[in-house]
């Protein structure tokens, strides 16, 4: 993941300009995130929060949201742009929080650079920190098979949505809603999944 960190650090300023406000998030995506993560007691982690725009949006809705990212430039911007927020440097592979202590996790496009063989370990870490019936919301790029592609920043991966959902189930999650959007001239096919932590 060092390569991913360095790649995003090198384009942080441009990335923030292009994607750094909640107004630049598709309205359907914001509604999906709100539906599953707003209005719940407890802490929500926005993992791979980037410039902090969605964390800030959740906090504006009264959510106790904390943004975590491994790119120092993003965290610095998030703290400056959202001074009342909580933003920390960190990685989703090793979350510095207690078992079953988190009400929700948002991983909005932050799993796309994860090699497929590393996904199960990260989902297990998500499951470790989520409270019973806690909710995970993820967004991913969609394809007919698991495959790498040349993302503008650094190599990313597409997933068949059903196969990704199966990985979630294997990690102890139950899908509760799915949102899919086909690609167009400027956007790749996209999906979002909301899943609750299955009672152990």
């Amino acid at each position: 993941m060092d390569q991913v960190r360095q790649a995003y650090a090198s384009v942080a300023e441009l990335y923030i300009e292009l994607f750094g406000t909640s107004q630049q998030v598709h309205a359907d995506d914001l509604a999906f995130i709100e539906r599953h993560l707003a209005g719940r007691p407890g802490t929500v982690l926005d993992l791979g929060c980037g410039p902090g725009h969605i964390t800030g949006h959740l906090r504006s809705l009264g959510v106790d949201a904390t943004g975590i990212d491994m790119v120092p430039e993003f965290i610095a911007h998030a703290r400056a742009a959202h001074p009342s927020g909580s933003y920390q440097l960190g990685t989703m592979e090793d979350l510095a929080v207690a078992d079953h202590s988190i009400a929700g996790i948002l991983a909005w496009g932050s799993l796309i650079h994860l090699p497929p063989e590393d996904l199960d370990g990260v989902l297990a870490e998500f499951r470790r920190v989520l409270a019973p019936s806690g909710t995970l919301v993820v967004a991913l790029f969609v394809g007919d098979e698991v495959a790498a592609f040349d993302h503008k920043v650094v190599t990313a991966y597409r997933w068949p949505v059903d196969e990704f959902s199966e990985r979630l189930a294997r990690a102890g999650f139950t899908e509760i809603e799915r949102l899919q959007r086909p690609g167009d001239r400027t956007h790749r096919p996209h999906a979002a999944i909301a899943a609750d932590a299955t009672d152990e």
Side-chain angles (χ1 to χ4, degrees), residues 9 35 58-59 65 94 128 136 150 164 182 197:
R35 195 153 57 244
L58 286 171
R59 289 183 69 86
D94 185 19
R128 177 187 72 79
L136 169 64
D150 290 330
F164 198 96

Side-chain angles (χ1 to χ4, degrees), residues 40-172:
R40 63 172 54 238
T43 299
V44 171
L45 300 181
D46 181 3
L47 301 178
C49 68
H53 51 302
I54 299 180
T55 318
H57 180 72
L58 286 171
R59 289 183 69 86
S60 76
L61 300 173
V63 179
D64 178 17
T66 294
I68 298 176
D69 204 284
M70 62 181 176
V71 180
E73 290 83 353
F74 286 157
I75 293 298
H77 172 84
R79 288 172 174 166
H82 310 282
S84 65
S86 175
Y87 296 93
Q88 304 168 10
L89 270 175
T91 67
M92 55 190 165
E93 293 93 339
D94 185 19
L95 297 168
V97 297
D99 293 359
H100 310 307
S101 62
I102 299 300
I105 290 176
L106 177 64
W108 198 258
S110 52
L111 299 174
I112 63 170
H113 302 295
L114 197 67
E117 62 270 19
D118 294 341
L119 179 64
D120 291 345
V122 169
L123 293 180
E125 178 69 350
F126 291 177
R127 184 65 188 82
R128 177 187 72 79
V129 304
L130 274 173
S133 301
T135 300
L136 169 64
V137 176
V138 301
L140 58 144
F141 290 125
V142 175
D144 293 332
E145 60 182 6
V146 180
F149 68 94
D150 290 330
H151 185 272
K152 288 182 179 179
V153 180
V154 66
T155 301
Y157 297 86
R158 300 182 180 94
W159 284 83
V161 187
D162 286 342
E163 185 168 346
F164 198 96
S165 185
E166 287 170 11
R167 292 287 193 105
L168 289 170
R170 211 156 70 196

